[in-house]
Amino acid sequence: MAQIQAKPGIPAARIARQAPSAPSLARPTPQSNPDPSLNGVEMTGAQAIIRALECAGATEVFGLPGGAILPTYDPLMDSQKLRHILVRHEQGAGHAAQGYAHATGKVGVCIATSGPGATNLVTPIADANMDSIPMVAITGQVGAAMIGTDAFQEADIVGITAPITKHNVLVTDPAEIPRAIAEAFYIASHGRPGPVLVDIAKSAQQAKTTFQWPGRIELPGFNAGVRPHQKTVQEAARLLATARRPVLYVGGGVIRSGAAAGLRKLTDLSGAAVVTTLMARGALPDSHPQHLGMPGMHGTVPAVAALQKADLIVALGARFDDRVTGNLDSFAPHATIVHADVDPAEIGKNRAVDVPIVGDLKEVFEALVPALAEEHAQHGKPDLEAWWAQLDDWRTTYALGYTPTKDGLSSPQHVIQRLGELNDPETTIYTAGVGQHQMWASQFIKYERPNTWINSGGLGTMGFSVPAAMGAQVGVPDQTVWAIDGDGCFQMTNQELVTCAINEIPIKVALINNSSLGMVRQWQTLFYEGRYSNTDLHTGHGTRRVPDFVKLAEAMGCVGLRCESDADVDATIKRANEIDDQPVVVDFTVSRDAMVWPMVAAGTSNDEIQYAQGIAPKWDRED
């Protein structure tokens, strides 16, 4: 067989893709130095930063240099182990690190300078904190003697990010750099994952030190995860074995812990209905017969109804978010609650819990599956026939769908559904911005494995999609990465397409262009009597296109395509998939009047879900 020759920066594996196994969270445990010869070597603090990142296992770094971090960029140039990707905005570096972490399971790394460089990382840090993404942010700080003097480009980034990081630290002594970075990687990836910030004074980067990688990490009081208590696991198994209307409520924690295989075993054994939140799409294949889809504000009717009618809810790595529960007082009124999570602070925070299980979900499943099998062996399996008859009736009656547009433009749901159908679910990753396109992407694409759906869930960050896709593509270069974005989100961070073009990162962008801030416009339609205050973006309807996204894409070194009718959707997607050596932006001009359904209005009960505008499901009320 002839050897495949790939273009520089594009692996040959891209030409013949194979379905990868789902990544699990890579948890570095620096008990020994990967390069013991470094210990005792004199170097600058800046050199120590680069060596420490290498020792921690980093291979890709997203960043943008500036004065306070400049000493570190000099030895970075000589590193044989770190690939640095120069972004066009620090927010892009942070979101790229998130996308990289989500796609690979490894810790994402971003670098910025002091002051505005560091504060531009605040949004991705907050985003990573809300969605439990393992990320380490390295920022430069003014010299130690100048801290607190309002020096040029000084900002107290440690104080600013204290509420939105898992841990942060200011380093002014160069000798502390290796340990600070080792601990940052450990904290970011152990227990509940999250972002860690290491702020390093310029004076510490310039000073000489002797490198010493820590022999072991000891952090008194840090919860790195405990084994689940067998007593609570056994009680959860008893409840699952005796419930008549059980639901497994699956959150993003299952993805973060790499526990999808355990979830599959529990699902098959229990016979329970399963709902996967926005952050857990793909944790259980959509094709699984027990999967009811996504719950919550824009979830499926069967998923929302199942939670409301359940007599037992087993929450797995979920946090009873308001977008899932609706009005908390009326959420799942008949259900006993089992809540398993690695973070004890989440258990009972929003909803009272009957059986708490603290532990990594991999270990929870390892204990719960055999415990449930024992209960079945002793007492038999529960009779769930009536429950599934009701669930199947809801699935048939209230299946996801959409109505044809009235303005003759493409339906955004159709575009996104065909995008999912024309790409291999085993080798395609989707990222999304925030808004209508995000909800349609979660509804109309079928996710068959974990880590193939990447979005901003908790914080809801517009502009997330393109840089996150960039990071995901860097992490898994042998897979296709589609960024599904809205015309509003896209205009916030599209400059990272320049980064992609220059670095041969061939992401594809499906721009769902309704010439509006779509979700805001939907709320204005429903709740503000159609008064469309400041939601028209002028990007696709009428005689003007400002900007013209095809020309913009071409100006940034990408291929620009446009699709304006349903008849051209398939051919346009296929054309984009054929382009393998540079980024592609497809401007799908769609109807601005399309809305996301089903919907539970904010602050209302899940019982008030609307299947479509003015259409409410008929519940079988129970005493």
Side-chain angles (χ1 to χ4, degrees), residues 398-405 409-419 421 440 443-445 566 569 593-598 611-612:
Y398 303 111
L400 281 174
Y402 52 91
T403 56
T405 62
L409 293 172
S410 290
S411 162
Q413 298 97 322
H414 172 72
V415 170
I416 291 171
Q417 182 171 311
R418 292 303 293 156
L419 191 67
E421 291 168 349
W440 288 320
Q443 292 175 334
F444 289 98
I445 292 176
D566 284 346
V569 167
D593 293 322
M595 290 197 281
V596 183
W597 299 104
Y611 179 52

PDB file of all heavy atoms in Angstrom, residues 398-405 409-419 421 440 443-445 566 569 593-598 611-612:
ATOM      1  N   TYR A 398     -45.696  13.143  20.861  1.00  0.00           N
ATOM      2  CA  TYR A 398     -44.999  14.431  20.945  1.00  0.00           C
ATOM      3  C   TYR A 398     -43.560  14.323  20.444  1.00  0.00           C
ATOM      4  O   TYR A 398     -42.621  14.769  21.104  1.00  0.00           O
ATOM      5  CB  TYR A 398     -45.030  14.945  22.377  1.00  0.00           C
ATOM      6  CG  TYR A 398     -46.425  15.095  22.923  1.00  0.00           C
ATOM      7  CD1 TYR A 398     -46.901  14.261  23.942  1.00  0.00           C
ATOM      8  CD2 TYR A 398     -47.284  16.051  22.407  1.00  0.00           C
ATOM      9  CE1 TYR A 398     -48.189  14.392  24.434  1.00  0.00           C
ATOM     10  CE2 TYR A 398     -48.582  16.193  22.897  1.00  0.00           C
ATOM     11  CZ  TYR A 398     -49.020  15.352  23.904  1.00  0.00           C
ATOM     12  OH  TYR A 398     -50.308  15.481  24.378  1.00  0.00           O
ATOM     13  N   ALA A 399     -43.405  13.730  19.277  1.00  0.00           N
ATOM     14  CA  ALA A 399     -42.076  13.622  18.679  1.00  0.00           C
ATOM     15  C   ALA A 399     -41.575  15.007  18.259  1.00  0.00           C
ATOM     16  O   ALA A 399     -42.363  15.905  17.953  1.00  0.00           O
ATOM     17  CB  ALA A 399     -42.130  12.700  17.470  1.00  0.00           C
ATOM     18  N   LEU A 400     -40.244  15.172  18.256  1.00  0.00           N
ATOM     19  CA  LEU A 400     -39.671  16.432  17.799  1.00  0.00           C
ATOM     20  C   LEU A 400     -39.996  16.671  16.325  1.00  0.00           C
ATOM     21  O   LEU A 400     -39.989  15.739  15.514  1.00  0.00           O
ATOM     22  CB  LEU A 400     -38.152  16.428  17.975  1.00  0.00           C
ATOM     23  CG  LEU A 400     -37.607  16.690  19.377  1.00  0.00           C
ATOM     24  CD1 LEU A 400     -36.095  16.490  19.387  1.00  0.00           C
ATOM     25  CD2 LEU A 400     -37.946  18.097  19.842  1.00  0.00           C
ATOM     26  N   GLY A 401     -40.288  17.892  15.991  1.00  0.00           N
ATOM     27  CA  GLY A 401     -40.572  18.232  14.600  1.00  0.00           C
ATOM     28  C   GLY A 401     -40.562  19.733  14.412  1.00  0.00           C
ATOM     29  O   GLY A 401     -40.253  20.494  15.326  1.00  0.00           O
ATOM     30  N   TYR A 402     -40.913  20.159  13.224  1.00  0.00           N
ATOM     31  CA  TYR A 402     -40.956  21.592  12.929  1.00  0.00           C
ATOM     32  C   TYR A 402     -41.898  21.808  11.742  1.00  0.00           C
ATOM     33  O   TYR A 402     -42.190  20.871  10.985  1.00  0.00           O
ATOM     34  CB  TYR A 402     -39.568  22.162  12.630  1.00  0.00           C
ATOM     35  CG  TYR A 402     -38.804  21.412  11.571  1.00  0.00           C
ATOM     36  CD1 TYR A 402     -38.891  21.783  10.221  1.00  0.00           C
ATOM     37  CD2 TYR A 402     -37.985  20.339  11.896  1.00  0.00           C
ATOM     38  CE1 TYR A 402     -38.195  21.106   9.245  1.00  0.00           C
ATOM     39  CE2 TYR A 402     -37.281  19.642  10.922  1.00  0.00           C
ATOM     40  CZ  TYR A 402     -37.391  20.031   9.599  1.00  0.00           C
ATOM     41  OH  TYR A 402     -36.702  19.350   8.639  1.00  0.00           O
ATOM     42  N   THR A 403     -42.367  23.018  11.589  1.00  0.00           N
ATOM     43  CA  THR A 403     -43.296  23.346  10.520  1.00  0.00           C
ATOM     44  C   THR A 403     -42.561  24.068   9.385  1.00  0.00           C
ATOM     45  O   THR A 403     -41.531  24.704   9.621  1.00  0.00           O
ATOM     46  CB  THR A 403     -44.420  24.256  11.041  1.00  0.00           C
ATOM     47  OG1 THR A 403     -43.843  25.425  11.626  1.00  0.00           O
ATOM     48  CG2 THR A 403     -45.246  23.520  12.093  1.00  0.00           C
ATOM     49  N   PRO A 404     -43.060  23.972   8.159  1.00  0.00           N
ATOM     50  CA  PRO A 404     -42.425  24.677   7.042  1.00  0.00           C
ATOM     51  C   PRO A 404     -42.435  26.180   7.282  1.00  0.00           C
ATOM     52  O   PRO A 404     -43.325  26.726   7.940  1.00  0.00           O
ATOM     53  CB  PRO A 404     -43.303  24.304   5.840  1.00  0.00           C
ATOM     54  CG  PRO A 404     -44.022  23.057   6.254  1.00  0.00           C
ATOM     55  CD  PRO A 404     -44.213  23.160   7.727  1.00  0.00           C
ATOM     56  N   THR A 405     -41.431  26.846   6.748  1.00  0.00           N
ATOM     57  CA  THR A 405     -41.361  28.299   6.905  1.00  0.00           C
ATOM     58  C   THR A 405     -42.389  28.974   5.998  1.00  0.00           C
ATOM     59  O   THR A 405     -42.803  28.417   4.974  1.00  0.00           O
ATOM     60  CB  THR A 405     -39.951  28.813   6.552  1.00  0.00           C
ATOM     61  OG1 THR A 405     -39.683  28.519   5.175  1.00  0.00           O
ATOM     62  CG2 THR A 405     -38.906  28.152   7.431  1.00  0.00           C
ATOM     63  N   LEU A 409     -37.778  30.828   2.922  1.00  0.00           N
ATOM     64  CA  LEU A 409     -36.378  30.570   3.240  1.00  0.00           C
ATOM     65  C   LEU A 409     -36.232  29.207   3.914  1.00  0.00           C
ATOM     66  O   LEU A 409     -37.205  28.609   4.375  1.00  0.00           O
ATOM     67  CB  LEU A 409     -35.836  31.676   4.140  1.00  0.00           C
ATOM     68  CG  LEU A 409     -35.734  33.064   3.498  1.00  0.00           C
ATOM     69  CD1 LEU A 409     -35.378  34.108   4.546  1.00  0.00           C
ATOM     70  CD2 LEU A 409     -34.720  33.077   2.363  1.00  0.00           C
ATOM     71  N   SER A 410     -35.017  28.743   3.988  1.00  0.00           N
ATOM     72  CA  SER A 410     -34.764  27.430   4.584  1.00  0.00           C
ATOM     73  C   SER A 410     -35.175  27.400   6.048  1.00  0.00           C
ATOM     74  O   SER A 410     -35.103  28.408   6.762  1.00  0.00           O
ATOM     75  CB  SER A 410     -33.282  27.072   4.468  1.00  0.00           C
ATOM     76  OG  SER A 410     -32.913  26.810   3.138  1.00  0.00           O
ATOM     77  N   SER A 411     -35.573  26.224   6.475  1.00  0.00           N
ATOM     78  CA  SER A 411     -35.822  25.999   7.893  1.00  0.00           C
ATOM     79  C   SER A 411     -34.502  25.689   8.576  1.00  0.00           C
ATOM     80  O   SER A 411     -33.773  24.791   8.135  1.00  0.00           O
ATOM     81  CB  SER A 411     -36.788  24.831   8.082  1.00  0.00           C
ATOM     82  OG  SER A 411     -36.727  24.343   9.391  1.00  0.00           O
ATOM     83  N   PRO A 412     -34.161  26.387   9.640  1.00  0.00           N
ATOM     84  CA  PRO A 412     -32.887  26.098  10.321  1.00  0.00           C
ATOM     85  C   PRO A 412     -32.841  24.673  10.874  1.00  0.00           C
ATOM     86  O   PRO A 412     -31.781  24.050  10.906  1.00  0.00           O
ATOM     87  CB  PRO A 412     -32.830  27.156  11.435  1.00  0.00           C
ATOM     88  CG  PRO A 412     -34.228  27.639  11.594  1.00  0.00           C
ATOM     89  CD  PRO A 412     -34.871  27.521  10.259  1.00  0.00           C
ATOM     90  N   GLN A 413     -33.996  24.166  11.306  1.00  0.00           N
ATOM     91  CA  GLN A 413     -34.028  22.789  11.813  1.00  0.00           C
ATOM     92  C   GLN A 413     -33.649  21.802  10.722  1.00  0.00           C
ATOM     93  O   GLN A 413     -32.925  20.819  10.966  1.00  0.00           O
ATOM     94  CB  GLN A 413     -35.415  22.457  12.370  1.00  0.00           C
ATOM     95  CG  GLN A 413     -35.849  23.318  13.548  1.00  0.00           C
ATOM     96  CD  GLN A 413     -36.727  24.488  13.130  1.00  0.00           C
ATOM     97  OE1 GLN A 413     -36.496  25.089  12.084  1.00  0.00           O
ATOM     98  NE2 GLN A 413     -37.727  24.797  13.941  1.00  0.00           N
ATOM     99  N   HIS A 414     -34.139  22.052   9.500  1.00  0.00           N
ATOM    100  CA  HIS A 414     -33.812  21.160   8.385  1.00  0.00           C
ATOM    101  C   HIS A 414     -32.316  21.180   8.092  1.00  0.00           C
ATOM    102  O   HIS A 414     -31.695  20.132   7.874  1.00  0.00           O
ATOM    103  CB  HIS A 414     -34.595  21.587   7.139  1.00  0.00           C
ATOM    104  CG  HIS A 414     -34.187  20.861   5.883  1.00  0.00           C
ATOM    105  ND1 HIS A 414     -34.495  19.541   5.659  1.00  0.00           N
ATOM    106  CD2 HIS A 414     -33.466  21.285   4.798  1.00  0.00           C
ATOM    107  CE1 HIS A 414     -34.000  19.167   4.493  1.00  0.00           C
ATOM    108  NE2 HIS A 414     -33.370  20.205   3.946  1.00  0.00           N
ATOM    109  N   VAL A 415     -31.737  22.382   8.086  1.00  0.00           N
ATOM    110  CA  VAL A 415     -30.302  22.503   7.816  1.00  0.00           C
ATOM    111  C   VAL A 415     -29.502  21.700   8.834  1.00  0.00           C
ATOM    112  O   VAL A 415     -28.600  20.918   8.483  1.00  0.00           O
ATOM    113  CB  VAL A 415     -29.875  23.987   7.840  1.00  0.00           C
ATOM    114  CG1 VAL A 415     -28.356  24.102   7.801  1.00  0.00           C
ATOM    115  CG2 VAL A 415     -30.508  24.742   6.679  1.00  0.00           C
ATOM    116  N   ILE A 416     -29.821  21.877  10.106  1.00  0.00           N
ATOM    117  CA  ILE A 416     -29.050  21.216  11.161  1.00  0.00           C
ATOM    118  C   ILE A 416     -29.305  19.708  11.157  1.00  0.00           C
ATOM    119  O   ILE A 416     -28.372  18.908  11.360  1.00  0.00           O
ATOM    120  CB  ILE A 416     -29.388  21.858  12.526  1.00  0.00           C
ATOM    121  CG1 ILE A 416     -28.835  23.289  12.563  1.00  0.00           C
ATOM    122  CG2 ILE A 416     -28.825  21.028  13.674  1.00  0.00           C
ATOM    123  CD1 ILE A 416     -29.273  24.093  13.762  1.00  0.00           C
ATOM    124  N   GLN A 417     -30.528  19.307  10.915  1.00  0.00           N
ATOM    125  CA  GLN A 417     -30.819  17.876  10.858  1.00  0.00           C
ATOM    126  C   GLN A 417     -30.045  17.205   9.722  1.00  0.00           C
ATOM    127  O   GLN A 417     -29.462  16.123   9.905  1.00  0.00           O
ATOM    128  CB  GLN A 417     -32.316  17.656  10.664  1.00  0.00           C
ATOM    129  CG  GLN A 417     -32.726  16.187  10.650  1.00  0.00           C
ATOM    130  CD  GLN A 417     -34.232  16.024  10.684  1.00  0.00           C
ATOM    131  OE1 GLN A 417     -34.917  16.623  11.504  1.00  0.00           O
ATOM    132  NE2 GLN A 417     -34.763  15.216   9.787  1.00  0.00           N
ATOM    133  N   ARG A 418     -30.006  17.839   8.557  1.00  0.00           N
ATOM    134  CA  ARG A 418     -29.263  17.267   7.434  1.00  0.00           C
ATOM    135  C   ARG A 418     -27.756  17.277   7.709  1.00  0.00           C
ATOM    136  O   ARG A 418     -27.035  16.371   7.281  1.00  0.00           O
ATOM    137  CB  ARG A 418     -29.566  18.030   6.145  1.00  0.00           C
ATOM    138  CG  ARG A 418     -30.980  17.848   5.646  1.00  0.00           C
ATOM    139  CD  ARG A 418     -31.307  16.373   5.433  1.00  0.00           C
ATOM    140  NE  ARG A 418     -30.528  15.810   4.333  1.00  0.00           N
ATOM    141  CZ  ARG A 418     -30.250  14.512   4.214  1.00  0.00           C
ATOM    142  NH1 ARG A 418     -30.671  13.655   5.145  1.00  0.00           N
ATOM    143  NH2 ARG A 418     -29.546  14.064   3.186  1.00  0.00           N
ATOM    144  N   LEU A 419     -27.298  18.274   8.429  1.00  0.00           N
ATOM    145  CA  LEU A 419     -25.886  18.303   8.806  1.00  0.00           C
ATOM    146  C   LEU A 419     -25.538  17.054   9.614  1.00  0.00           C
ATOM    147  O   LEU A 419     -24.506  16.417   9.389  1.00  0.00           O
ATOM    148  CB  LEU A 419     -25.591  19.571   9.618  1.00  0.00           C
ATOM    149  CG  LEU A 419     -24.131  19.913   9.876  1.00  0.00           C
ATOM    150  CD1 LEU A 419     -23.420  20.287   8.587  1.00  0.00           C
ATOM    151  CD2 LEU A 419     -24.032  21.062  10.879  1.00  0.00           C
ATOM    152  N   GLU A 421     -27.221  14.201   9.592  1.00  0.00           N
ATOM    153  CA  GLU A 421     -27.447  12.986   8.806  1.00  0.00           C
ATOM    154  C   GLU A 421     -26.374  12.764   7.746  1.00  0.00           C
ATOM    155  O   GLU A 421     -26.123  11.617   7.346  1.00  0.00           O
ATOM    156  CB  GLU A 421     -28.829  13.054   8.152  1.00  0.00           C
ATOM    157  CG  GLU A 421     -29.967  12.953   9.162  1.00  0.00           C
ATOM    158  CD  GLU A 421     -31.332  13.311   8.596  1.00  0.00           C
ATOM    159  OE1 GLU A 421     -31.389  13.856   7.461  1.00  0.00           O
ATOM    160  OE2 GLU A 421     -32.344  13.056   9.282  1.00  0.00           O
ATOM    161  N   TRP A 440     -31.374  23.859  18.605  1.00  0.00           N
ATOM    162  CA  TRP A 440     -31.686  22.993  17.460  1.00  0.00           C
ATOM    163  C   TRP A 440     -30.594  21.952  17.257  1.00  0.00           C
ATOM    164  O   TRP A 440     -30.887  20.793  16.920  1.00  0.00           O
ATOM    165  CB  TRP A 440     -31.856  23.843  16.201  1.00  0.00           C
ATOM    166  CG  TRP A 440     -33.121  24.649  16.180  1.00  0.00           C
ATOM    167  CD1 TRP A 440     -34.353  24.254  16.610  1.00  0.00           C
ATOM    168  CD2 TRP A 440     -33.270  26.003  15.711  1.00  0.00           C
ATOM    169  NE1 TRP A 440     -35.271  25.271  16.429  1.00  0.00           N
ATOM    170  CE2 TRP A 440     -34.636  26.355  15.880  1.00  0.00           C
ATOM    171  CE3 TRP A 440     -32.400  26.941  15.158  1.00  0.00           C
ATOM    172  CZ2 TRP A 440     -35.130  27.610  15.526  1.00  0.00           C
ATOM    173  CZ3 TRP A 440     -32.884  28.183  14.793  1.00  0.00           C
ATOM    174  CH2 TRP A 440     -34.244  28.510  14.977  1.00  0.00           C
ATOM    175  N   GLN A 443     -31.139  19.224  19.616  1.00  0.00           N
ATOM    176  CA  GLN A 443     -32.364  18.473  19.354  1.00  0.00           C
ATOM    177  C   GLN A 443     -32.291  17.608  18.097  1.00  0.00           C
ATOM    178  O   GLN A 443     -32.747  16.459  18.105  1.00  0.00           O
ATOM    179  CB  GLN A 443     -33.546  19.445  19.200  1.00  0.00           C
ATOM    180  CG  GLN A 443     -33.956  20.187  20.454  1.00  0.00           C
ATOM    181  CD  GLN A 443     -35.050  21.209  20.163  1.00  0.00           C
ATOM    182  OE1 GLN A 443     -35.170  21.711  19.043  1.00  0.00           O
ATOM    183  NE2 GLN A 443     -35.853  21.514  21.162  1.00  0.00           N
ATOM    184  N   PHE A 444     -31.753  18.159  17.004  1.00  0.00           N
ATOM    185  CA  PHE A 444     -31.930  17.534  15.698  1.00  0.00           C
ATOM    186  C   PHE A 444     -30.695  16.807  15.162  1.00  0.00           C
ATOM    187  O   PHE A 444     -30.738  16.258  14.069  1.00  0.00           O
ATOM    188  CB  PHE A 444     -32.404  18.583  14.680  1.00  0.00           C
ATOM    189  CG  PHE A 444     -33.819  19.016  14.920  1.00  0.00           C
ATOM    190  CD1 PHE A 444     -34.089  20.194  15.608  1.00  0.00           C
ATOM    191  CD2 PHE A 444     -34.889  18.236  14.503  1.00  0.00           C
ATOM    192  CE1 PHE A 444     -35.395  20.595  15.856  1.00  0.00           C
ATOM    193  CE2 PHE A 444     -36.201  18.617  14.739  1.00  0.00           C
ATOM    194  CZ  PHE A 444     -36.458  19.800  15.418  1.00  0.00           C
ATOM    195  N   ILE A 445     -29.617  16.805  15.928  1.00  0.00           N
ATOM    196  CA  ILE A 445     -28.469  15.959  15.592  1.00  0.00           C
ATOM    197  C   ILE A 445     -28.462  14.795  16.566  1.00  0.00           C
ATOM    198  O   ILE A 445     -28.677  14.979  17.772  1.00  0.00           O
ATOM    199  CB  ILE A 445     -27.144  16.741  15.674  1.00  0.00           C
ATOM    200  CG1 ILE A 445     -27.094  17.789  14.549  1.00  0.00           C
ATOM    201  CG2 ILE A 445     -25.944  15.810  15.566  1.00  0.00           C
ATOM    202  CD1 ILE A 445     -25.873  18.689  14.588  1.00  0.00           C
ATOM    203  N   ASP A 566     -33.616  25.095   0.506  1.00  0.00           N
ATOM    204  CA  ASP A 566     -33.571  23.709   0.964  1.00  0.00           C
ATOM    205  C   ASP A 566     -33.003  22.791  -0.113  1.00  0.00           C
ATOM    206  O   ASP A 566     -32.337  21.796   0.183  1.00  0.00           O
ATOM    207  CB  ASP A 566     -34.973  23.235   1.353  1.00  0.00           C
ATOM    208  CG  ASP A 566     -35.421  23.778   2.703  1.00  0.00           C
ATOM    209  OD1 ASP A 566     -34.554  24.289   3.445  1.00  0.00           O
ATOM    210  OD2 ASP A 566     -36.618  23.694   3.012  1.00  0.00           O
ATOM    211  N   VAL A 569     -29.206  22.429   0.230  1.00  0.00           N
ATOM    212  CA  VAL A 569     -28.605  22.144   1.539  1.00  0.00           C
ATOM    213  C   VAL A 569     -27.660  20.953   1.462  1.00  0.00           C
ATOM    214  O   VAL A 569     -26.494  21.020   1.881  1.00  0.00           O
ATOM    215  CB  VAL A 569     -29.692  21.920   2.607  1.00  0.00           C
ATOM    216  CG1 VAL A 569     -29.089  21.307   3.876  1.00  0.00           C
ATOM    217  CG2 VAL A 569     -30.382  23.235   2.945  1.00  0.00           C
ATOM    218  N   ASP A 593     -38.234  33.679  11.422  1.00  0.00           N
ATOM    219  CA  ASP A 593     -39.423  33.457  12.236  1.00  0.00           C
ATOM    220  C   ASP A 593     -39.461  32.066  12.873  1.00  0.00           C
ATOM    221  O   ASP A 593     -40.361  31.775  13.653  1.00  0.00           O
ATOM    222  CB  ASP A 593     -40.682  33.659  11.388  1.00  0.00           C
ATOM    223  CG  ASP A 593     -40.843  35.114  10.950  1.00  0.00           C
ATOM    224  OD1 ASP A 593     -40.528  36.001  11.765  1.00  0.00           O
ATOM    225  OD2 ASP A 593     -41.256  35.358   9.805  1.00  0.00           O
ATOM    226  N   ALA A 594     -38.508  31.200  12.539  1.00  0.00           N
ATOM    227  CA  ALA A 594     -38.469  29.874  13.149  1.00  0.00           C
ATOM    228  C   ALA A 594     -38.190  29.999  14.640  1.00  0.00           C
ATOM    229  O   ALA A 594     -37.375  30.822  15.071  1.00  0.00           O
ATOM    230  CB  ALA A 594     -37.395  29.019  12.480  1.00  0.00           C
ATOM    231  N   MET A 595     -38.876  29.179  15.436  1.00  0.00           N
ATOM    232  CA  MET A 595     -38.698  29.218  16.888  1.00  0.00           C
ATOM    233  C   MET A 595     -38.379  27.829  17.425  1.00  0.00           C
ATOM    234  O   MET A 595     -38.662  26.811  16.783  1.00  0.00           O
ATOM    235  CB  MET A 595     -39.934  29.802  17.570  1.00  0.00           C
ATOM    236  CG  MET A 595     -40.123  31.278  17.319  1.00  0.00           C
ATOM    237  SD  MET A 595     -41.272  32.089  18.479  1.00  0.00           S
ATOM    238  CE  MET A 595     -42.833  31.610  17.785  1.00  0.00           C
ATOM    239  N   VAL A 596     -37.783  27.814  18.602  1.00  0.00           N
ATOM    240  CA  VAL A 596     -37.395  26.564  19.243  1.00  0.00           C
ATOM    241  C   VAL A 596     -38.568  26.054  20.066  1.00  0.00           C
ATOM    242  O   VAL A 596     -39.030  26.721  20.986  1.00  0.00           O
ATOM    243  CB  VAL A 596     -36.165  26.754  20.153  1.00  0.00           C
ATOM    244  CG1 VAL A 596     -35.744  25.416  20.739  1.00  0.00           C
ATOM    245  CG2 VAL A 596     -35.015  27.389  19.389  1.00  0.00           C
ATOM    246  N   TRP A 597     -39.017  24.852  19.742  1.00  0.00           N
ATOM    247  CA  TRP A 597     -40.052  24.154  20.507  1.00  0.00           C
ATOM    248  C   TRP A 597     -39.613  22.720  20.711  1.00  0.00           C
ATOM    249  O   TRP A 597     -38.880  22.190  19.886  1.00  0.00           O
ATOM    250  CB  TRP A 597     -41.404  24.189  19.768  1.00  0.00           C
ATOM    251  CG  TRP A 597     -41.929  25.567  19.531  1.00  0.00           C
ATOM    252  CD1 TRP A 597     -41.911  26.257  18.353  1.00  0.00           C
ATOM    253  CD2 TRP A 597     -42.532  26.435  20.495  1.00  0.00           C
ATOM    254  NE1 TRP A 597     -42.458  27.496  18.511  1.00  0.00           N
ATOM    255  CE2 TRP A 597     -42.864  27.638  19.818  1.00  0.00           C
ATOM    256  CE3 TRP A 597     -42.845  26.324  21.845  1.00  0.00           C
ATOM    257  CZ2 TRP A 597     -43.463  28.706  20.464  1.00  0.00           C
ATOM    258  CZ3 TRP A 597     -43.447  27.382  22.490  1.00  0.00           C
ATOM    259  CH2 TRP A 597     -43.747  28.556  21.806  1.00  0.00           C
ATOM    260  N   PRO A 598     -40.051  22.094  21.786  1.00  0.00           N
ATOM    261  CA  PRO A 598     -40.891  22.555  22.905  1.00  0.00           C
ATOM    262  C   PRO A 598     -40.205  23.658  23.717  1.00  0.00           C
ATOM    263  O   PRO A 598     -39.024  23.935  23.550  1.00  0.00           O
ATOM    264  CB  PRO A 598     -41.094  21.287  23.733  1.00  0.00           C
ATOM    265  CG  PRO A 598     -40.787  20.164  22.810  1.00  0.00           C
ATOM    266  CD  PRO A 598     -39.724  20.663  21.890  1.00  0.00           C
ATOM    267  N   TYR A 611     -45.720  22.302  23.615  1.00  0.00           N
ATOM    268  CA  TYR A 611     -45.201  21.454  22.537  1.00  0.00           C
ATOM    269  C   TYR A 611     -44.909  22.290  21.302  1.00  0.00           C
ATOM    270  O   TYR A 611     -43.932  22.063  20.586  1.00  0.00           O
ATOM    271  CB  TYR A 611     -46.217  20.362  22.231  1.00  0.00           C
ATOM    272  CG  TYR A 611     -45.830  19.426  21.121  1.00  0.00           C
ATOM    273  CD1 TYR A 611     -44.597  18.770  21.116  1.00  0.00           C
ATOM    274  CD2 TYR A 611     -46.717  19.157  20.077  1.00  0.00           C
ATOM    275  CE1 TYR A 611     -44.252  17.894  20.093  1.00  0.00           C
ATOM    276  CE2 TYR A 611     -46.378  18.283  19.059  1.00  0.00           C
ATOM    277  CZ  TYR A 611     -45.150  17.652  19.063  1.00  0.00           C
ATOM    278  OH  TYR A 611     -44.810  16.785  18.061  1.00  0.00           O
ATOM    279  N   ALA A 612     -45.730  23.260  21.051  1.00  0.00           N
ATOM    280  CA  ALA A 612     -45.551  24.267  20.004  1.00  0.00           C
ATOM    281  C   ALA A 612     -46.332  25.491  20.459  1.00  0.00           C
ATOM    282  O   ALA A 612     -47.032  25.439  21.484  1.00  0.00           O
ATOM    283  CB  ALA A 612     -46.041  23.760  18.655  1.00  0.00           C
TER     284      ALA A 612
END
